[in-house]
Amino acid sequence: MFKKIFIIIKREFLSRVKKKSFIVMTILGPVLFAALITLPVILARWSDSEYSVAIVDNTGLFYDRFEDGNDVVFTNLPVSLDDALELLQREKFNAILHIPEAAFESPSTLRLFTTKAVNINAKIHVENVLKHEFESLKLGARGIDSEVLRAIETNISIQAVRILSDGMEQTDYPEVSMALGIISGLLIYLFIFLFGSQVLRGVLEEKTSRIIEVIISSVKPFQLMMGKIVGIALVGLAQFLIWVFLTLLLVFVVRTAVPDIFQFTPDEQVHITSAQMLDTGRLEEQMDTIQHHDTAAGQVLESLSAINWYVMIFFFIFFFLGGYFLYAALFAAIGSAVDNEADTQQFMLPVTIPLIFAIIFGQMVMVNPAGPVAFWLSIIPLTSPVIMMIRIPFGVPFFDLYLSAFLLIAGFLATTWLAAKIYRTGILMYGKKVSYKDLWKWIRY
Amino acid sequence: MDNLIQVNSVTKDFTGHRALDNVSISVPKQSIYGLLGPNGAGKTTLIRIINQIIGPDKGEIFFNGEKIRPKHVEKIGYLPEERGLYKKMKVGEQALYLAQLKGLHYHQTKKLLKEWFEKFDLLNWWNKKAETLSKGMQQKLQFIITVLHNPKLLIFDEPFTGFDPINVNILKDEIFKLKEQGATIIFSTHDMGSVEELCDEIALINKSKKVLEGNVRKIKKEHAKQIFRVEMAGLSSSFETLKKENFEIVEQSTKDGLIEAVIRINNDKTTNDLLEALIEVGNIVSFNEVIPSMNEIFISTVTQNQ
């Protein structure tokens, strides 16, 4: 029994791994991923051409307060508004900012004229400058110096410290956890879809090419289905592990080539005990360390090094496999029930909805990763692979993790059992448009 | 045990209709067994049950005296009516894969397979994708895959549909060879010509029930209706005298100076009585019993059952 499943797994794995598309995706994956992160930065550098804003300032108070920046260039235009609009028509400028005399009393009279759709960055820039200047003027009118205002302006960024069960405290960086959570959640979602639909197409191929009957005269339909599902799981696993390996390799190469980038690496982890926290002397010392890491890059690198990568990768693989097995069985059942790819649509919807649902609610989970929505969605097997992966970077209680893992295993055993019943009947059905009622009959049969 | 396959009172229901109703058949060892019947009669269902692709609701199947079990699939070669190949998979690899699923080992199979490929002129396609094969070559490949593991029982479901006449002959020759080598062959077909040519035994299934089973020659004898064809020369008296003796002249014609007649013997008379009567009438040139073709038996049995 297992020998034949093994032969099937081997074929399903090798036939896919040998494909050009697999090799290309495996090598290109990490490169694409890197490009996805770096490209927006590079594109922002190139950016657009400059956006020119001419200022018609009837109050004469503000025109010199605008500094060029963010690709916006300001010009003072001491002419009448009509003349300025004339120049705008002739495309001498991209926009005209009109500050009428009444603007100081009623800011709603401010106008930004354009001939084309307005550049949002320029509009926000103008608004920020005017807000600041209006406030300074108003404060001045009440006898408060703008210097005082500068002095009391404070940047607040609260350090979130989590008290761990062993009394240790750990600095949280929710922004980093968020990014990591959504990336791994999305990756699970993509993997389930990508490899789940490969199962569907594989089953459909065997059915439409009519080789299925030859094969199931040698092996049980269940063996064929499981062989296919496991074989494709191994393809996904191989792809993921190669990606991890190539990414590490890429990082290593960059690190040896340009070592300067990694100088920020914190020399000390921000781990202190509660007792130390109460000691003021130690606290100040600790504050220094924290000050040290105040640069954004330092914070990101520190929080990244605080994440237990082995745990991340282990659970990623677990939830990928669990979620994949759960859905792959359903995809196999769909593939067996229809005659061609077009007919799959009616059955695909209920299978894909929970996954899409998980991604949509993922944002809510990120905001409150320990809330009830996060808890329930990370327990229910249909959504748990995606949601749990979003939660894990924030840290998850062991109870939630074990319950979710247990239910996921129970869930995929249930879908596999269900799918096997549909599959063994479906693969021998030709030329009949199958309805949900038929599927129900096959399950009960 | 004389029977390789023994099907006992098998019933199979699908949602809404009964595909097989209390069907029993016995397939003698080293015979060619024809499974006949109109479309939708239940032939493919019976074949699938023997292949253990689906299970019967009632009844039992014995393979060589043992109750049929999953291990028996390795002793069966099955060429389904709906047969296909993995289009994108290489021909040699594909044959090896399917052979392994039948329990053969990779290395011993490779050598064996190369011999078969040589025999069927397929060796040049070993490393090509299956979709590059012509229809005829695909069918040859499927045939090789079916017989490669040297099965005791071969089951062909409508083997001749889609084959060109040359390939049909190759296939028939191979079927005879396999029988000589000790295999038992079950095949289902509509082609009554090939039944007469190939089959030792048949079963006729109509509307989920077996309506006829047995040795082909015996069945034909049983269906012979005491009708004889005679050719006579130089009649001394007319056929009318035969009528008086209760023989029925079904047909009468003259051809190339010979008089041909088809005569039915009714109840109490024997063949000898007819011959005696004919000698009186003239010179007998030839005398043959008219044996119905399988086609006629098929049609009359099926229409009788409706």
Side-chain angles (χ1 to χ4, degrees), chain B residues 230-246:
Chain B
V230 287
E231 282 179 316
M232 311 278 292
L235 293 188
S236 52
S237 66
S238 123
F239 276 117
E240 295 303 312
T241 54
L242 287 171
K243 283 188 183 166
K244 286 180 197 135
E245 293 189 50
N246 210 5

Side-chain angles (χ1 to χ4, degrees), chain A residues 3-4 7-8 11-12 18 205-206 209-211 213-220 428 441 445, chain B residues 12-13 15 48 52-53 73-74 78 80 82-86 89 94 97-98 100-102:
Chain A
K3 205 180 114 205
K4 286 188 180 171
I7 295 167
I8 295 168
R11 189 201 90 88
E12 298 293 338
K18 279 192 219 155
E205 183 204 352
E206 278 163 358
S209 74
R210 314 276 162 133
I211 197 170
E213 199 158 345
V214 176
I215 296 174
I216 56 170
S217 70
S218 309
V219 300
K220 296 258 154 248
L428 292 172
K441 268 189 209 151
Y445 181 63
Chain B
K12 178 76 184 173
D13 284 313
T15 44
R48 282 178 177 168
Q52 302 177 71
I53 289 171
V73 296
E74 294 180 2
Y78 175 41
E82 300 286 2
R83 41 189 177 250
L85 295 163
Y86 286 111
M89 202 173 175
Q94 176 147 217
Y97 171 63
L98 295 168
Q100 280 177 286
L101 290 184
K102 277 287 184 192

Side-chain angles (χ1 to χ4, degrees), chain B residues 230-235 239 252-261:
Chain B
V230 287
E231 282 179 316
M232 311 278 292
L235 293 188
F239 276 117
Q252 192 179 340
S253 60
T254 310
K255 205 163 110 195
D256 301 333
L258 292 173
I259 297 139
E260 208 182 286

Side-chain angles (χ1 to χ4, degrees), chain A residues 415-434:
Chain A
T415 56
T416 305
W417 176 80
L418 207 70
K421 295 199 145 209
I422 295 175
Y423 181 84
R424 63 169 191 197
T425 310
I427 46 174
L428 292 172
M429 289 282 168
Y430 289 105
K432 187 176 175 237
K433 189 115 175 143
V434 173

Side-chain angles (χ1 to χ4, degrees), chain B residues 11-72:
Chain B
T11 297
K12 178 76 184 173
D13 284 313
F14 289 120
T15 44
H17 82 284
R18 178 156 285 192
L20 288 174
D21 188 1
N22 202 22
V23 171
S24 304
I25 63 167
S26 312
V27 182
K29 273 186 193 163
Q30 220 182 331
S31 67
I32 300 180
Y33 192 96
L35 212 49
L36 320 179
N39 288 324
K43 289 172 297 186
T44 299
T45 304
L46 182 58
I47 285 176
R48 282 178 177 168
I49 287 174
I50 295 172
N51 273 305
Q52 302 177 71
I53 289 171
I54 49 180
D57 294 339
K58 273 183 219 145
E60 289 175 320
I61 292 113
F62 292 92
F63 185 96
N64 208 4
E66 293 173 55
K67 200 157 192 284
I68 205 156
R69 282 203 305 276
K71 67 160 190 180
H72 289 125

Side-chain angles (χ1 to χ4, degrees), chain A residues 275-326:
Chain A
Q276 285 170 331
M277 199 68 166
L278 294 172
D279 177 354
T280 19
R282 285 302 298 262
L283 193 62
E284 265 161 30
E285 201 177 295
Q286 199 61 51
M287 287 302 288
D288 285 348
T289 331
I290 291 167
Q291 289 291 320
H292 232 73
H293 301 304
D294 236 8
T295 59
Q299 278 188 4
V300 169
L301 280 170
E302 192 211 314
S303 60
L304 283 180
S305 62
I307 283 162
N308 190 336
W309 288 101
Y310 293 111
V311 170
M312 270 302 282
I313 291 176
F314 171 80
F315 278 108
F316 184 87
I317 290 173
F318 175 83
F319 280 100
F320 159 58
L321 286 181
Y324 162 81
F325 278 125
L326 183 104

